[in-house]
């Protein structure tokens, strides 16, 4: 295995060719023998969010085409060293959630925070490699010449010495000759990283570009712009009905935008807010029917893989697919229409960085974290109050209301996570998910059971629909209702865990710190009494 040992920068007038590398190797090889150089060229794409979030922190994300429409994505840190890499199977991937689970996805979740990762530059690499062998023909060291060029005339070159495990001493001797005989200095970072740093320099401001004390308006404007990026990026996939995930992520962006508009209105400029509130409410409504059918079809497909009544459910699948086709046709008409296009265009204009409206009022100039934390504490207090009032015989509507409040708490906490270290907010968000999962099962199963009963009535008496089909639908609805009852029985334990002091301390650690300055320290004492 070849390991990079040192990288050197040749003089600017040194011709970076295979013949030049072979001539240099003759001076460096000592008793070793140099193979004939081999050269390969490849193109790669630099990716970043619309607000250049990665570049502004000194990171470089590149993707290189592989065979069979696959790509290799690589993330390099501020020092040029590779931090993570992954092979991506689909060429149209845009978000960290599209990537396979692993180190790269995890790092991009921390750095990109859900933003679309667009191509921002095309680059070209030419790599010329040669091996140095001993008298027995064993490779003892490799030398690699890299030339990186962009489309604007920029170019950088370096020569790297690669050490093979067990033969590090040979590589060290080659490095010593490069320094002593050729006088080449060590490169501060690889050629590609230098080219990217020159073409896309990191800003003077270091660290996370969004800070807790930044004005609420400009921060919220940036966060809402990121959600609009997702909306626009996922739209073609929604219109083409490529995969249910496109509509799911489209709707998540809608919900996050609606949550900001309703829960944090003081952090949003007044101009365009009322129109956006109504427009995104409408957008949530028109996308809901197809999403419900997508979920039902995915659940049905999963059931048919292991259920003994799989064949009997075929008429139900055809019925749902016909409904899905009609629903998608209606949705595509809505998303291709003037109302949607006007909503997006006007909202994008309202989110313009040049607009002074985002700092026009005192709340918009207040620290972002104070406004969000104050709202988060209020939602948390009410969630605890409502949850404690729910008993074994409480109406289902109470659990549904608590579920909606927990969603609000999660979105507000995620907004705060944009300006705080991930290690502070991630445990709190994880604690939310446990209770949300139980509440979600209760609500989702109730909706699914009601829907299955309706489908059964719609199919009854139709040609080709047997009694076995109706019995299979009934059996499925009974299983779902049992799971609903099980989830309902799990609520008390799930809420107890969420309301426990250890869990609540996670929220107080991020909420109290920032609300204390906003109300002179009264929030913590008031919260203790009310909660």
């Amino acid at each position: 295995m070849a390991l990079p040992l040192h990288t050197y920068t040749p003089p600017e007038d040194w011709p970076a060719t295979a013949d030049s590398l072979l001539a240099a190797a003759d001076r460096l090889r000592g008793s070793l023998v140099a193979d004939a150089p081999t050269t390969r060229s490849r193109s790669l794409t630099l990716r970043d969010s619309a607000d250049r979030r990665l570049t502004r922190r000194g990171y470089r994300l590149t993707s290189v085409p592989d065979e069979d429409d696959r790509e290799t994505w690589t993330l390099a840190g501020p020092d040029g060293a590779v931090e993570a890499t992954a092979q991506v199977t689909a060429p149209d991937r845009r978000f960290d959630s599209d990537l396979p689970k692993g180190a790269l996805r995890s790092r991009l979740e921390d750095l990109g925070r859900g933003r679309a990762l667009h191509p921002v530059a095309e680059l070209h690499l030419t790599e010329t490699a040669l091996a140095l062998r001993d008298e027995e023909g064993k490779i003892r060291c490799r030398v690699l010449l890299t030339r990186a060029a962009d489309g604007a005339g920029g170019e950088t070159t370096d020569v790297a010495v690669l050490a093979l495990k067990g033969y590090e001493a040979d590589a060290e001797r080659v490095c010593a000759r490069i320094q002593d005989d050729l006088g080449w200095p060590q490169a501060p970072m690889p050629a590609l990283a230098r080219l990217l740093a020159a073409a896309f320099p990191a800003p003077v401001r270091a660290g996370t570009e969004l800070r807790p004390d930044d004005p609420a308006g400009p921060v919220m404007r940036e966060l809402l712009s990121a959600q609009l990026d997702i909306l626009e990026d996922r739209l073609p996939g929604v219109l083409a009905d490529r995969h249910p995930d496109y509509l799911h992520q489209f709707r998540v962006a809608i919900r996050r935008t609606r949550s900001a508009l309703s829960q944090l209105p003081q952090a949003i400029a007044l101009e365009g807010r009322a129109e956006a509130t109504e427009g995104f409410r409408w957008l949530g409504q028109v996308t809901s029917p197809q999403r419900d059918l997508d979920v039902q079809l995915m659940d049905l497909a999963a059931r048919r893989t292991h259920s003994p009544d799989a064949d009997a459910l075929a008429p139900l699948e055809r019925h749902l697919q016909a409904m899905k086709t009609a629903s998608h046709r209606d949705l595509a008409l809505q998303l291709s229409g003037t109302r949607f296009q006007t909503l997006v265009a006007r909202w994008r204009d309202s989110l313009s960085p040049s607009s002074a409206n985002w700092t026009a009022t005192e709340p918009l100039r207040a620290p972002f974290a104070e406004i969000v934390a104050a709202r988060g504490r209020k939602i948390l207090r009410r969630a605890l109050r409502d949850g404690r009032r729910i008993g074994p015989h409480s109406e289902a509507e109470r659990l549904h209301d608590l579920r909606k409040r927990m969603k609000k708490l999660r979105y507000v906490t995620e907004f705060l996570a944009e300006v705080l270290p991930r290690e502070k907010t991630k445990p709190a968000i994880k604690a939310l998910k446990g209770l949300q999962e139980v509440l979600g099962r209760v609500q989702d199963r109730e909706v699914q059971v009601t829907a299955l009963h309706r489908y059964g009535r719609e199919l009854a008496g139709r040609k080709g629909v047997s009694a076995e089909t109706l019995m299979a639908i009934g059996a499925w609805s009974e299983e779902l209702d049992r799971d609903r009852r099980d989830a309902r029985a799990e609520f008390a334990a799930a809420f107890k865990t969420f309301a426990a002091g250890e869990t609540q301390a996670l929220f107080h650690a991020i909420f109290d710190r920032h609300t204390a300055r906003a109300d002179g320290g009264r929030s913590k004492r008031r919260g203790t009494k009310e909660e």
Side-chain angles (χ1 to χ4, degrees), residues 135-409:
E135 58 186 11
E136 296 179 357
K138 293 181 180 179
I139 298 177
R140 307 290 289 263
C141 177
R142 296 185 188 274
V143 181
L144 178 67
L145 164 65
T146 300
R147 296 175 62 190
D150 59 27
E155 184 175 309
T156 56
T157 303
D158 67 30
V159 174
V161 178
L162 309 181
L164 274 66
K165 190 173 182 179
Y167 300 105
E168 291 84 354
D170 293 284
E172 290 285 3
R173 283 191 285 271
V174 171
C175 288
R177 295 185 187 109
I178 289 178
Q179 293 175 294
D180 297 340
D181 296 351
L182 300 182
W184 293 358
Q186 287 193 28
M189 60 180 68
L192 176 59
R194 296 203 310 277
L195 178 66
L196 292 174
F200 302 93
V204 175
R205 181 174 175 177
T208 303
E209 65 274 15
L210 298 180
R211 298 176 179 175
D213 291 336
D214 284 346
V219 174
M220 184 54 73
R221 184 206 64 77
E222 183 169 333
L223 300 186
L224 289 171
S225 295
Q227 297 308 309
L228 187 53
D229 287 344
I230 295 174
L231 205 72
E232 292 182 319
D233 189 271
R234 278 336 195 201
L235 178 61
V238 173
L239 292 174
D241 196 20
R242 292 178 192 164
H243 191 278
D245 278 350
Y246 284 90
L247 181 58
H248 172 61
Q249 293 171 1
F250 191 82
R251 280 175 53 80
V252 169
I254 294 170
R255 288 200 301 269
R256 286 176 172 161
T257 300
R258 293 184 64 192
S259 180
L261 288 165
S262 63
Q263 301 305 310
L264 301 165
Q266 68 271 48
I268 301 172
L270 181 62
E271 183 176 336
R273 191 170 70 201
E275 183 181 6
T277 298
E278 174 58 27
F280 281 94
R281 183 192 65 80
W282 163 78
L283 202 50
Q285 290 175 340
V286 299
T287 55
S288 181
Q290 180 176 327
R291 177 58 185 170
D292 290 344
L293 288 165
D294 279 341
V295 172
Q296 196 77 62
L297 282 164
M298 287 188 292
D299 288 348
L300 177 57
R303 181 175 179 79
R304 290 192 67 188
T305 61
H306 61 77
S307 174
D309 54 13
D311 293 338
L313 289 171
L316 174 61
E317 184 173 22
R318 291 193 295 270
H319 181 59
L320 291 176
Q321 192 58 59
M323 294 177 64
K324 159 72 181 293
T325 299
S327 178
H328 177 69
R329 182 175 59 247
D330 292 341
L331 177 60
L333 286 173
Q334 296 280 8
L335 297 183
S336 301
T338 302
R339 182 172 183 179
F340 175 75
Q341 294 171 1
T342 301
L343 169 65
V344 170
R346 290 184 176 175
W347 187 229
R348 178 66 77 185
D349 186 60
S350 297
L351 295 172
S352 171
S354 61
S355 173
N357 295 321
W358 290 88
T359 55
T361 65
E362 187 62 33
L364 291 172
R365 295 190 293 269
F368 176 77
E370 287 187 6
I371 288 181
V372 180
R375 182 58 185 163
R377 290 197 78 261
K378 185 177 291 186
I379 298 174
L380 176 61
R381 192 162 57 245
R382 291 175 177 175
L384 291 170
R385 178 199 63 194
D386 293 350
R388 286 169 179 148
R389 293 175 179 175
I390 296 176
H393 305 293
S394 295
E395 298 176 354
E397 191 65 25
R398 285 198 173 186
L399 278 84
H400 182 48
D401 289 342
L402 178 61
R403 183 195 184 197
K404 290 189 290 186
R405 201 175 297 283
M406 294 295 292
K407 280 186 175 182
K408 294 176 182 177
L409 179 61

Side-chain angles (χ1 to χ4, degrees), residues 457-478:
R457 292 192 298 270
E458 292 169 351
L459 289 172
R462 288 192 182 184
K463 184 178 180 180
V465 178
S466 64
E468 286 77 11
T469 294
L470 300 180
M471 291 174 62
I473 293 174
W476 188 13
S477 65
E478 288 177 5

